[in-house]
Amino acid sequence: MPHGHSHDHGRGCSHEATDVDNALEMGIEYSLYTKIDIENTECLNEETDGSGKTVFKPYEKRLDSSKFVQSDGDEELLFNVPFTGNIKLKGIIIRGSNDNTHPNRLKLFKNRPKMTFDDARGKADQEFELTRDCRGEVEYSPKVVTFSSVHHLSLYFPSNYGDDVTRIYYIGFRGEFTEAHFHGVTICNYESRANISDHKEKTFDGVGRAIQ
């Protein structure tokens, strides 16, 4: 279910400091964009090459409308997003325009690199119905059990509110990050046959009796 994040809380400008604090807190929580392997991130069906990567940015820049991704020819967009380690995904924000170019559905897939549109039309790990969010304040909550160890995330937007193209300004991720650990090959030498002289004089059989 989506959750709204409103920073004025209906209390007016006298609580501006509190609003700034809340924005800073959200900015910290939505910092997983720094853990994206942006060089290997891809967006299928983007009108302008490389524009899909620009929607992953700091929370405080989510209202910047100068950079966005727009679909080419129809309303579908598919993001393949690798991370530099493992994440536990707890929240997603999708900001679009307050018009019919805003996507109205999202399908999430975990750990399936290089997905195609044919792949994305299959069963997702989770789906969301999206509301129009032109301020980046609506959070969608993935199932933590499902998305607790994610090194690659695919986001498929199959449709919008009725326009020929889909436009997205910001995609934010909230959660926890764990560094990837790469273990080298350990080379061990094992004896092919035990050499009695290399061991203690006494050994024990299966029931603990000393063998002379």
Side-chain angles (χ1 to χ4, degrees), residues 33 35-42 52-54 56 82 84:
Y33 73 94
K35 308 304 182 183
I36 294 173
D37 180 1
I38 201 69
E39 182 178 346
N40 292 306
T41 296
E42 63 178 0
K53 298 178 180 181
T54 68
F56 302 102
T84 57

Side-chain angles (χ1 to χ4, degrees), residues 79-90:
F79 293 84
N80 283 313
V81 184
F83 294 90
T84 57
N86 287 316
I87 67 166
K88 178 184 290 186
L89 187 63
K90 296 182 176 180

Side-chain angles (χ1 to χ4, degrees), residues 6-70:
S6 177
H7 301 308
D8 59 12
H9 305 286
R11 294 177 294 192
C13 299
S14 62
H15 290 79
E16 183 177 352
T18 300
D19 297 341
V20 171
D21 290 342
N22 289 340
L24 289 173
E25 182 180 344
M26 288 294 291
I28 293 171
E29 291 185 359
Y30 270 86
S31 61
L32 280 182
Y33 73 94
T34 64
K35 308 304 182 183
I36 294 173
D37 180 1
I38 201 69
E39 182 178 346
N40 292 306
T41 296
E42 63 178 0
C43 179
L44 305 186
N45 198 39
E46 57 185 4
E47 184 180 56
T48 303
D49 289 345
S51 59
K53 298 178 180 181
T54 68
V55 303
F56 302 102
K57 51 193 174 185
Y59 176 83
E60 57 269 22
K61 294 186 177 180
R62 73 193 186 284
L63 299 180
D64 178 7
S65 298
S66 64
K67 294 181 179 180
F68 60 89
V69 63
Q70 182 167 296

Side-chain angles (χ1 to χ4, degrees), residues 45 71 74-78 94 99-107 117 121 127-130 156-168:
N45 198 39
S71 60
D74 61 31
E75 66 271 31
E76 291 182 288
L77 283 171
L78 173 61
I94 308 293
D99 58 28
N100 290 338
T101 66
H102 197 295
N104 66 353
R105 288 179 60 209
L106 167 61
K107 297 177 69 175
F117 283 110
R121 294 183 185 108
E127 295 189 39
F128 295 98
E129 297 292 327
L130 305 181
Y156 174 46
F157 299 92
S159 56
N160 57 31
Y161 278 90
D163 205 291
D164 293 333
V165 296
T166 296
R167 188 181 303 123
I168 297 173

Side-chain angles (χ1 to χ4, degrees), residues 7 36 69-70 92 103 105 116 126 134 137 146 162 165-166 176 179 211:
H7 301 308
I36 294 173
V69 63
Q70 182 167 296
I92 299 176
R105 288 179 60 209
T116 65
Q126 191 167 358
C134 63
E137 295 179 340
T146 302
V165 296
T166 296
E176 300 173 10
E179 294 283 352
I211 302 173

Side-chain angles (χ1 to χ4, degrees), residues 79 89 91-92 94 105-112 115 120 122-128 140-143 146-147 152-157 171 173:
F79 293 84
L89 187 63
I92 299 176
I94 308 293
R105 288 179 60 209
L106 167 61
K107 297 177 69 175
L108 282 182
F109 302 83
K110 74 166 187 176
N111 300 341
R112 294 178 62 180
M115 284 192 70
K123 181 176 176 57
D125 291 301
Q126 191 167 358
E127 295 189 39
F128 295 98
Y140 301 89
S141 300
K143 293 176 287 190
T146 302
F147 294 92
H152 185 283
L153 190 67
S154 296
L155 302 92
Y156 174 46
F157 299 92
I171 298 177
F173 300 129

